[in-house]
């Protein structure tokens, strides 16, 4: 078997000039970890997300969301790594070994968020059944994944669900603390109330730091949210 790994993800990985999410960072850390150990790695991202990306040496290739498996043969992949299970469920694998990362519990998250677009548990169980190896970030997630293996009619150890914690480059750039302490909050979770924690941070930074909340789109921080946090800190 060769050593080319094609990493499928629905989220952007850290590419020049583009935003990135936690899912994208996770997929990228897995790919770069494999690259550091001598594997040939390419990232497969949805074509609509890559339309504005300038040509670079990132190794990213575009797949058609309507037929994500169409590029497998042309890429000469030896192993497929899927960062999200809905993508694996919709993708033919060409008989290649399949690794599925279980980083995001999508159905649990959607259930807590009260979303209207339902994800089918049977489809998730089917996706788990297509994998040869499951990756989990920790022990609790491993237990969660094994419960889904049982739902798929599989043994909890077949395929194996192994723990692969989030990875960082061993040669991280040196960090120097800024003159003005700055805390950036950019998360958005419909089921979680961020205000209690943000109030504490705003109070701690009062008159000596900045709380930067990335919310409100082009219009900036909503006035109602600013009022909730108070005026003690420099809030952007």
């Amino acid at each position: 078997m060769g050593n080319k790994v094609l990493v499928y993800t629905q989220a952007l990985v850290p590419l020049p000039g583009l935003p990135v999410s936690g899912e994208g960072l996770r997929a990228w850390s897995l790919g770069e970890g494999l690259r550091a150990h001598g594997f040939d790695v390419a990232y497969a991202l949805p074509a609509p997300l890559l339309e504005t990306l300038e040509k670079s040496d990132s190794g990213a290739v575009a797949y058609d969301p309507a037929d994500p498996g169409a590029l497998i043969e042309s890429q000469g992949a030896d192993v497929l790594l899927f960062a999200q299970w809905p993508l694996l469920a919709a993708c033919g694998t060409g008989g290649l070994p399949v690794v599925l990362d279980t980083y995001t519990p999508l159905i649990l998250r959607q259930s807590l968020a009260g979303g209207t677009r339902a994800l089918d548990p049977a489809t998730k169980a089917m996706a788990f059944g297509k994998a040869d190896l499951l990756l989990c970030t920790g022990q609790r997630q491993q237990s969660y994944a094994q419960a889904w293996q049982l739902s798929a009619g599989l043994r909890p150890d077949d395929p194996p669900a192994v723990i692969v914690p989030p990875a960082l480059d061993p040669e991280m750039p040196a960090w120097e603390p800024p003159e003005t302490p700055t805390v950036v909050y950019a998360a958005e979770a419909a089921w979680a109330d961020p205000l209690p924690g943000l109030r504490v941070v705003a109070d701690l930074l009062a008159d000596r730091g900045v709380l930067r909340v990335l919310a409100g789109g082009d219009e900036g921080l909503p006035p109602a949210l600013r009022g909730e946090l108070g005026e003690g800190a420099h809030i952007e």
Side-chain angles (χ1 to χ4, degrees):
M1 178 182 293
N3 71 340
K4 182 165 185 179
V5 181
L6 186 59
V7 180
Y8 271 93
T9 176
Q10 295 173 332
L12 284 172
V13 296
L15 298 175
L18 295 176
V20 67
S21 66
E23 289 181 76
L25 286 172
R26 169 65 173 177
W28 180 77
S29 71
L30 292 172
E32 294 309 296
L34 290 167
R35 195 190 305 277
H37 284 81
F39 287 86
D40 180 10
V41 177
Y43 297 99
L45 283 76
L49 291 182
L50 293 178
E51 289 178 352
T52 60
L53 178 65
E54 296 182 1
K55 184 176 177 57
S56 70
D57 59 357
S58 63
V61 295
Y63 66 79
D64 180 356
D67 187 12
L71 58 74
I72 291 176
E73 184 175 355
S74 65
Q75 290 300 308
D78 300 294
V79 177
L80 305 177
L81 194 164
F82 289 85
Q84 297 90 18
W85 64 261
L87 190 51
L88 172 56
C91 186
T93 62
L96 294 175
V98 171
V99 179
L100 174 61
D101 186 41
T102 63
Y103 173 75
T104 304
L106 294 174
I107 289 182
L108 179 61
R109 186 174 71 180
Q110 188 179 72
S111 175
L112 292 172
T116 57
R117 184 176 65 88
L119 291 170
D120 182 13
T123 303
K124 179 171 182 175
M126 180 267 287
F128 272 50
K130 295 171 68 174
D132 299 294
L133 178 67
L134 302 178
L135 306 183
C136 311
T137 56
Q139 185 173 358
R140 290 186 177 182
Q141 193 178 57
Q142 183 186 51
S143 298
Y144 181 74
Q146 288 172 334
W148 277 102
Q149 286 179 281
L150 293 174
S151 298
L154 306 170
R155 291 167 49 92
D157 58 352
D158 183 20
V162 299
I163 296 175
V164 180
L168 295 174
D169 191 324
E171 299 181 2
M172 296 293 291
W175 180 79
E176 296 183 3
E179 294 182 2
T180 302
T182 301
V183 175
V184 178
Y185 175 81
E188 183 178 351
W191 65 89
D193 181 5
L195 284 176
L198 290 177
R199 289 193 192 101
V200 172
V201 174
D203 290 342
L204 290 174
L205 294 176
D207 302 321
R208 64 187 182 93
V210 174
L211 171 59
R212 182 169 297 147
V213 181
L214 304 183
D218 296 334
E219 300 179 359
L221 187 67
L225 182 56
R226 181 181 293 276
E228 286 281 349
L229 292 176
E231 300 294 339
H234 179 192
I235 303 173
E236 298 181 351

